[in-house]
Amino acid sequence: MSLKAMSAPRSSVFTFESTVHSSHVLGRLDEQRRRDTLCDVTVVVEGQSFRAHRSVLASCSEYFTHRISSLTQQGAVISLPQEVSVAGFEPLLKFAYTSKLLFGKDDVLEVRNSASILGFRDLDEACFEFLLPKFSSSTQGSALFPRKTCCKKNCKRQLSDDGIGIYSDEVLLDEKAVKPVAESPFQQEEAFLFNKSVNSQLGSQSSSGTLTPVTEETNYIFQQGPKYRKFQLACGKETCFPEKSVNNPLTVISNDCDLSCSPCCSSLNIKNESEVEFSGNSSSTLVRQSRGEADDSRKFEIHDRTTEADIIKAETDETSTVEREVAEHLVKCQGSDWHSTQPNFHDGSCYQTGSRQSGHGAPSEWPHVNLSFTTSCPFIQDLDQGKCLRKGADLSECEGASQSGVSSFNSGEDGDTETETEGDSEAYTRERARQMQLPFSVDWIVDQSRNEFQQLLKTQEFTREQLEFVHDMRRRSKNRLAAQRCRKRKLDCIYNLQCEINKLKTEREKLITERSQLSQLKLKTCHNVTALCQKVCSEADLQPDQLQVLAKYTSPDCPLSTLIPHIDTLLSQPELQHRLQASLSAPSMGPHQYGASEQAFSSSSKDAFTGDGPH
DNA sequence: TGAAATTGTCATCAG
DNA sequence: CTCTGATGACAATTT
C-alpha cells in the first residue's frame, strides 16, 4: 500500500492506493466462477462447458472481446474453435481468474496454441518460447534460443551446487542450465526460471519518497563474471552475497519500493524446493516448477505477481547465519528510517555480513563532508545503484569500505586478494588511491550526479593528483557501466530478433498446414465433381456440344477427361468435331452466352440431378 | 594450448 | 566548452 501526498495549492489531497484490492477482486471473481455465481456466459470446448463472466473473459482475451461484444442475451454460449482444446483452454481460464498459468509438459503446446488463438493478454510469448525448447529435445532448443552469457556460468555452477538455476532477465536464457538431459537429472530438471525483465519492474522509490531511476545494474547481482570468479572463491562464499543469495534459500520478496529498489533484495525468492521467484516493483512473472514425489508430472506455473499483496519476507536457512544476517539487516533497514549523510556508509552497508567484516573503522574517522543532497537511505540507494554488486572489483571495494568505514582507496584492507586477482591496472589504481587517501569510494563518486559531483569538487579540496584520479575513475566507471549496458542491449536485440524469427517460423508452419488442408479439400471437391459429372453423363446422355460446354467449365486442375473418361474419344469423332467447330465459331460466345447449348446442358444436368429428366 | 567468451578500457562521436 | 552516454575496437583474462 502506499499513501501518496498529492501536491495541492492549499489543502493536501491524499490518495489511498491498495495494492491488494485488485488481487482480492480477482480472487472473489474466481470464487464466483467456481460457484457459478453471477456467471453470464458458457464457453463450450470440445463439448465441455465452462461457466465464466463475460467481463473477465473479455478483459483477458481478444477473441472473447470480439465474440462477447456481439452477444446480447443472457446465458450466452460461446463455442470455441476446434483448434482450442480443453487441455489448452482450462489453464487459460484459470489464468484469467488467478494470474497463474499452470501447465505441464504434455499440454504446454495446447496451452500456447489456445492462448494464441484466443489472443490471451498478459501471457508472454517469450515464456513459452523459453520453456518449449526445454521440453523438446535437447538439441532442438539450443539452436533456437541464443544463450545469454551474463549469468551463464553462475547458472551452471548453481545448478551443480544446488540444483537451482537463475535467469535474472528475460533474455537470460541458457539452455545449458535447464537442459533436461544432464548428468544430474534431478538437479538440472529443477532449474527453471522465467522472469520478465526484472529491470523494467524495478522502478523504485527511495525511502525519502522520491523516485529513483530504474537501474539496469540490478541484473549484475547475477552477473558476476568469470573474470572475478577467482576473487569470489578467494573471498569466500560469505562475502559474496550475490552468489549466496542465489544458492541459498534466502528469500526477500518485496513488491514495494523499499526493498525492491535494491538488487540485493530485488525480489529474488528461492524456495527450498524447486521454486524460484522473482518479483518486481510493479509486476513480475515467475515460473514455479512444482514437483510431485519421484514423478514426471512436473508442472509449471506462470505467475503474474502484478496484483499480489506487498510481501516483505525473509526466510533464512538455519545453517546460514550469514544470510540470516543479511535478511535481518534488510528488514531492519526497510523498517527503519535510517538516513545517513555519510557517503562512505553506502559502500559497506550491503556487505556488512561479509566474513571479512571487522567492524573497525568508524564514520567519525572520516573527513567531514557536507553532503546535504544525500538524504535517502544510503543502503537502499547504494543497492539501487547496484554498484556494490556489479562486479568483483567493486564488490571488493565495497567490502573494504564496509570494513574500515573509509574508502577502499585508502583502507588498505583488501589489497592482497584483489591484487592477485585483478588486472595490473586495477592494482595500480588501488595503489594510487591508497597513496592519495581519498575520502570517498569510487562507487560513491560515480553515483553522484553531475551537479553533485561538481558541488563535491567545490566543497572538497583535492590535490591536482587526486582530482585527476577522481575524474579518471569516474569516467572509467561510468564508461564501464555504459559498456555493460551497451552489450546488454545488443544481446537483447539479438534475442528479440531470434524471437521474431521463431514467430515467423511458426507462422510459416501454420500456413503450410493450412495450404495442405486446402489442397486436400480441393482434391475431395474434385472427386465429388467427378462423381457428379459421371453421373450426369451416364444418365443425361449429353450431346457433343453439351459436352463441349461442360469442358469449358472445367479447370486445369480438374480436367474434363478426368470427369468423363471417354470425352476425348467422343470429341474426336468427325461429325462431332464439325458441330463443335460450328459451335465455337459462333460470335460472342462467352462463358455466359452459350444459349441453347448451355441451356440444354443445364436442363439435362438439372434433370439428371433432380431425376426429372426424360429418360 | 588454442579458441571462444567475457570484461574493462580507450577513442570517438553526438547530444 | 564540459560532461555524459553510446559504441567500435582492442587487450587482458577466464573458461
Side-chain angles (χ1 to χ4, degrees), chain A residues 526 530 534 557-565 567:
Chain A
C526 193
T530 302
Q534 286 176 347
D557 295 330
C558 195
L560 191 62
S561 58
T562 64
L563 304 180
I564 307 172
I567 184 69

Side-chain angles (χ1 to χ4, degrees), chain A residues 85-141:
Chain A
S85 63
V86 171
F89 174 72
E90 200 165 5
L92 293 175
L93 181 63
K94 289 179 180 174
F95 173 77
Y97 281 87
T98 63
S99 307
K100 293 179 183 177
L101 183 65
L102 185 64
F103 59 90
K105 185 177 179 178
D106 297 333
D107 56 8
V108 59
L109 276 172
E110 290 184 76
V111 172
R112 186 179 82 156
N113 189 41
S114 300
S116 174
I117 292 170
L118 300 177
F120 248 76
R121 304 183 183 103
D122 303 329
L123 262 184
D124 293 277
E125 182 70 13
C127 159
F128 293 111
E129 290 182 0
F130 166 65
L131 284 175
L132 281 175
K134 319 304 172 192
F135 288 142
S136 61
S137 64
S138 58
T139 54
Q140 255 183 327

Side-chain angles (χ1 to χ4, degrees), chain A residues 1 17-26 28 307-310:
Chain A
M1 294 181 196
E17 180 182 348
S18 170
T19 59
V20 299
H21 173 68
S22 54
S23 61
H24 287 177
V25 169
L26 197 64
R28 291 182 194 114
T307 59
E308 252 194 18
D310 301 346

Side-chain angles (χ1 to χ4, degrees), chain A residues 107 135 184 255 287 337 420 432 482 516 518 578 601 603 610:
Chain A
D107 56 8
F135 288 142
S184 178
N255 276 358
V287 172
D337 190 18
E420 68 183 23
R432 282 195 61 195
S516 173
L518 287 173
H578 177 73
F601 169 71
S603 173
T610 58

